[in-house]
Amino acid sequence: MQSEKKTWRSKLSAYIALFLPGIFLLGLNIGTGSVTSMAKAGADYGMTLLWTILASCLTTFFMINLYGRFTLVTGETALQAFKKHIHPAVGIFFIIALTVGVCGSVMGVMGIVADICYEWSTTIVDGGISPLYFALFFITMVYFIFWNGKTEFFERALAVIVAIMSASFILNFFIMMPPPLEILKGLIPNVPETLRGNESPFLIIASMIGTTVFSGLFIIRTTLVKEAGWELADLKKQRNDALFSVTLMFIISGSIMAAAAGTLHVEGIQLSKASQMIELLQPLAGSFATSIFAVGIVSAGVSSQFPNILMLPWLICDYNESERDMSLPKYRLIVFLISLLGLVVPIFNAQPVFVMIISQALNAIILPLTVISIFYLVNRKDLMGEHKAGLGSNIILALILLFAIFTSVSGIKGVMELIQ
């Protein structure tokens, strides 16, 4: 009986391990940045921007596959290839740009999680518990796990948190979904006019794409593929893992948008701060649906905090082709300092929704270089051999590059409108 139990557990563990790279990407991708961007889009513009999520997810699937295939063929990660085959400065640029984006994300993540928990606590404790205490609690918890855990433990903990997050948002979709016809209409590309008091749709589009078609996803993906020991024979496994990850991205992101569109948008309520997601949904959707949504947001925040704080040390190890030993004092110090950024929003009472949208829009601005870099690498016969990109792949890449340029222009335009 004991051996049967062991066999069952080992089989389940092996099955989960097949999807761990995809789950890690999902945890990195669907954080409070996604929740904020998708909820803001749904509240301000209903389902009219659903096409942005679909286009972003299709782009992400293609790019994940392309970057993963490059590593399967060459055995090199993205940063290593940028350094060796393009220029070391390109690799350094990505490390700096992604770190800036991640720092903004860490500030927004903890700000939103703390804000949500505070609003939640007001229903239990008179006056609520200060957001600063919640931020300190989650920062300490994540850093403690980082200090004492191993990569394998991170991945499995992440899998549990992602599962809770996914279940919460999908269940919420069925409770608060808008009419099916509105959902279908949202798949038709359309940029609505800016409504009075709302952020520019260009800024929101850029933030939605920035949080879904995230350059860090593709670069970290190559590290995970190499670490998993996958080879060219595992091409199908790599593709299935990417499909699993991106399908869940679309379902979860669409569910968040639909929940806001079916409640806040219908009532003409604008979203400006994180706690509104709780206080405004309460009378519209009921305490049960609101609690599920809150669990989803907190799970999203915690799940994205793990890869966010690890991003810079992993990128440094990848670029230097050194062992990824996170117990080294220099990496523990880096992670500690990045973690402390999570206190910025609660201490200075900044607007976390604004911080997150700007940070996601900035992520979109570096996307064109991410596309150009892989465009160049996969067309080098000396690197790819018979797996060099064909006509079809190059046409898709060219379209994605145009899409990336449009996104960057949208992000710059939206930020400029906001400043003015």
Side-chain angles (χ1 to χ4, degrees), residues 175-198:
I175 297 173
M176 301 191 286
M177 65 181 282
L181 186 59
E182 292 299 312
I183 297 174
L184 292 175
K185 282 182 180 177
L187 294 172
I188 301 169
N190 169 46
V191 179
E193 291 182 12
T194 304
L195 301 176
R196 175 182 264 180
N198 288 354

Side-chain angles (χ1 to χ4, degrees), residues 123-138:
T123 63
I124 304 168
V125 180
D126 188 31
I129 300 169
S130 170
L132 182 60
Y133 294 129
F134 284 111
L136 279 169
F137 169 75
F138 285 113

Side-chain angles (χ1 to χ4, degrees), residues 52-360:
T52 306
I53 300 177
L54 179 61
S56 299
C57 287
L58 290 173
T59 301
T60 298
F61 176 68
F62 182 82
M63 293 294 286
I64 285 176
N65 261 317
L66 199 61
Y67 268 89
R69 190 177 70 182
F70 175 82
T71 298
L72 292 177
V73 173
T74 65
E76 295 175 343
T77 65
L79 278 184
Q80 292 165 10
F82 296 161
K83 181 174 73 171
K84 290 178 185 176
H85 308 301
I86 303 178
H87 194 280
V90 176
I92 292 169
F93 167 79
F94 275 109
I95 292 174
I96 294 170
L98 292 174
T99 300
V100 170
V102 160
C103 288
S105 182
V106 167
M107 285 190 275
V109 162
M110 279 299 107
I112 288 172
V113 168
D115 222 10
I116 291 296
C117 290
Y118 163 73
E119 192 61 38
W120 222 355
S121 70
T122 58
T123 63
I124 304 168
V125 180
D126 188 31
I129 300 169
S130 170
L132 182 60
Y133 294 129
F134 284 111
L136 279 169
F137 169 75
F138 285 113
I139 287 169
T140 303
M141 181 187 76
V142 172
Y143 191 75
F144 177 79
I145 294 172
F146 158 75
W147 184 282
N148 295 282
K150 296 180 180 178
T151 302
E152 189 177 299
F153 176 74
F154 293 151
E155 290 176 336
R156 279 162 174 74
L158 199 59
V160 173
I161 297 169
V162 166
I164 294 170
M165 172 186 71
S166 304
S168 299
F169 286 134
I170 292 169
L171 180 57
N172 232 48
F173 166 75
F174 290 106
I175 297 173
M176 301 191 286
M177 65 181 282
L181 186 59
E182 292 299 312
I183 297 174
L184 292 175
K185 282 182 180 177
L187 294 172
I188 301 169
N190 169 46
V191 179
E193 291 182 12
T194 304
L195 301 176
R196 175 182 264 180
N198 288 354
E199 264 86 8
S200 162
F202 289 105
L203 181 60
I204 293 178
I205 287 171
S207 69
M208 289 167 68
I209 296 171
T211 191
T212 307
V213 192
F214 176 39
S215 297
L217 276 181
F218 316 134
I219 292 170
I220 291 295
R221 173 66 175 188
T222 61
T223 305
L224 295 173
V225 165
K226 187 172 182 177
E227 193 175 71
W230 290 349
E231 298 175 349
L232 201 52
D234 298 305
L235 191 59
K236 186 178 179 182
K237 186 189 295 184
Q238 195 262 153
R239 187 167 55 245
N240 288 342
D241 176 77
L243 182 62
F244 164 78
S245 176
V246 172
T247 301
L248 269 182
M249 279 181 201
F250 177 75
I251 292 171
I252 294 170
S253 298
S255 297
I256 297 166
M257 178 187 280
T263 50
L264 304 183
H265 181 68
V266 170
E267 297 292 324
I269 299 172
Q270 295 173 19
L271 192 65
S272 61
K273 55 184 288 190
S275 58
Q276 281 184 296
M277 297 181 192
I278 300 301
E279 64 186 75
L280 295 178
L281 286 176
Q282 181 83 24
L284 298 175
S287 57
F288 178 65
T290 305
S291 297
I292 292 171
F293 195 72
V295 168
I297 294 174
V298 173
S299 300
V302 175
S303 72
S304 65
Q305 188 74 349
F306 278 108
N308 276 340
I309 63 172
L310 289 170
M311 176 77 79
L312 179 55
W314 279 22
L315 291 175
I316 292 171
C317 291
D318 188 7
Y319 185 82
N320 293 328
E321 299 184 51
S322 58
E323 185 185 353
R324 202 163 69 183
D325 182 1
M326 294 296 103
S327 65
L328 294 176
K330 61 180 179 181
Y331 296 138
R332 285 180 166 176
L333 178 61
I334 289 172
V335 170
F336 177 71
L337 293 175
I338 291 175
S339 297
L340 286 181
L341 291 173
L343 298 175
V344 169
V345 170
I347 289 175
F348 295 101
N349 199 28
Q351 288 290 342
V353 170
F354 173 79
V355 171
M356 287 305 298
I357 287 177
I358 291 294
S359 117
Q360 301 309 330

